[in-house]
Amino acid sequence: ANVKQGFLRYTSGDLIFDSVSFSYITNETKKNLFNNLSFVIKKNQKVGFVGLSGHGKSTVINLILKLYDIKSGAIYIDNKSIHDIETKSLYEHTAFVPQMPLLFNRSLKENMTYGCDAVSNATLEHIARIVDLKDFIDNLPEGYDTKIGENGSTLSGGQRQRIALARALLKNSSLLLLDESTSQLDTITEKKITDYLYHVQEKTIIFVAHRLSTLYQADTIFVFEHGAIIQQGSHAQLLDDENGLYWRLWQKQIKEN
């Protein structure tokens, strides 16, 4: 059946997973990852996804981006099933920063403003300052016009992540998906950027995070295990449960630091 494609207006902006089931094939074996996964993220909330690797956090992001098809259930954005939302329209309202961002053999400015509407120099410098790139760029002979090499080969991993974050902020999307996107930053820079993001008013943000210290300001943290959400709450609420996975992960990170 032909499904009428629709445009995302992003007025209510709630993101809803309604009994979503999803499986994938690995080594010719079918593995069920999600069975009736349900949760709600309200418009402009800042939420965290945590849990051990391979337990479903990044897959949720890929499902929101329509990179995979769900087996059953539904995903809604703005009271509309993403099945009925035109992919182009979905992406206009969404910015995604993966752990290993894709950059181009173009200038810093072209990489930072890729996919954006016209950006003023003042706005560009403002965002560069937020992601802690301004001093680095100011010290380059060609500044924002400096070519960065294939996939940013002349840059460090942290600089590549900061450019990708700048691009996402300059795009000014309503929904921001950050999949371990500050993992290569030092803790001071990471805190500066995440502090800014938590105070952005008109933006729903999902942080997929390994460092739990980046989530203490989150409205809600969802803890994933084997494709299920086994805990949810604020950082403080989750630390109150000393039998929970979140508390154990927190203790482990404290010892590592």
Side-chain angles (χ1 to χ4, degrees), residues 103 106-109 111-112 125 127-149 152-164 166 185-186 189 192:
L103 301 178
R106 311 286 293 189
S107 70
L108 274 163
K109 181 176 180 177
N111 272 280
M112 291 168 71
E125 295 218 341
I127 295 299
R129 192 175 286 110
I130 286 165
V131 299
D132 214 25
L133 274 175
K134 189 167 186 317
D135 289 346
F136 165 70
I137 294 170
D138 286 347
N139 285 318
L140 293 170
E142 295 182 74
Y144 289 93
D145 295 322
T146 303
K147 295 279 198 297
I148 64 169
S153 59
T154 64
L155 305 172
S156 70
Q159 287 164 344
R160 287 197 289 269
Q161 284 192 330
R162 291 200 289 269
I163 289 169
L185 304 184
D186 62 87
T189 303
K192 176 184 172 184

Side-chain angles (χ1 to χ4, degrees), residues 3 17 40 42-43 47 53-54 99 146 155 202 209 230 251:
V3 177
F17 269 54
V40 177
K42 305 294 285 182
K43 183 181 182 183
V47 305
S53 296
Q99 186 172 355
T146 303
L155 305 172
E202 293 297 315
I230 58 167
Q251 295 302 312

Side-chain angles (χ1 to χ4, degrees), residues 7-41:
F7 291 94
L8 183 59
R9 306 225 176 270
Y10 221 88
T11 49
S12 82
D14 293 352
L15 171 64
I16 300 168
F17 269 54
D18 183 12
S19 300
V20 169
S21 294
F22 172 76
S23 57
Y24 60 91
I25 308 289
T26 175
N27 299 326
E28 298 185 1
T29 304
K30 186 175 180 181
K31 179 177 178 182
N32 291 320
L33 182 59
F34 300 137
N35 288 304
N36 298 319
L37 179 68
S38 296
F39 62 85
V40 177
I41 298 172

Side-chain angles (χ1 to χ4, degrees), residues 136-244:
F136 165 70
I137 294 170
D138 286 347
N139 285 318
L140 293 170
E142 295 182 74
Y144 289 93
D145 295 322
T146 303
K147 295 279 198 297
I148 64 169
E150 195 65 44
N151 204 22
S153 59
T154 64
L155 305 172
S156 70
Q159 287 164 344
R160 287 197 289 269
Q161 284 192 330
R162 291 200 289 269
I163 289 169
L165 286 162
R167 180 193 294 167
L169 292 173
L170 285 165
K171 189 181 174 190
N172 201 25
S173 302
S174 303
L175 178 61
L176 179 53
L177 309 174
L178 303 175
D179 192 354
E180 300 276 13
S181 58
T182 58
S183 60
Q184 298 187 62
L185 304 184
D186 62 87
T187 52
I188 293 171
T189 303
E190 181 180 56
K191 185 177 186 305
K192 176 184 172 184
I193 293 171
T194 53
D195 281 352
Y196 171 82
L197 292 170
Y198 281 117
H199 290 93
V200 173
Q201 298 296 315
E202 293 297 315
K203 206 178 287 291
T204 306
I205 305 179
I206 298 175
F207 298 86
V208 177
H210 174 67
R211 289 186 200 153
L212 304 186
S213 57
T214 61
L215 299 177
Y216 73 95
Q217 298 179 72
D219 296 306
T220 305
I221 299 166
F222 297 97
V223 184
F224 285 78
E225 187 173 57
H226 301 301
I229 293 172
I230 58 167
Q231 290 178 283
Q232 69 182 75
S234 68
H235 175 74
Q237 288 169 335
L238 292 172
L239 284 185
D240 280 343
D241 180 4
E242 295 188 8
N243 296 313

Side-chain angles (χ1 to χ4, degrees), residues 69-114:
D69 288 327
I70 59 177
K71 188 168 76 174
S72 62
I75 302 169
Y76 299 97
I77 299 179
D78 214 43
N79 298 319
K80 197 176 191 77
S81 168
I82 65 167
H83 185 63
D84 299 336
I85 297 171
E86 199 174 81
T87 302
K88 180 175 181 287
S89 180
L90 174 67
Y91 285 11
E92 282 172 357
H93 289 275
T94 307
F96 169 51
V97 185
Q99 186 172 355
M100 300 294 287
L102 177 64
L103 301 178
F104 309 102
N105 187 15
R106 311 286 293 189
S107 70
L108 274 163
K109 181 176 180 177
E110 287 170 302
N111 272 280
M112 291 168 71
T113 59
Y114 177 76

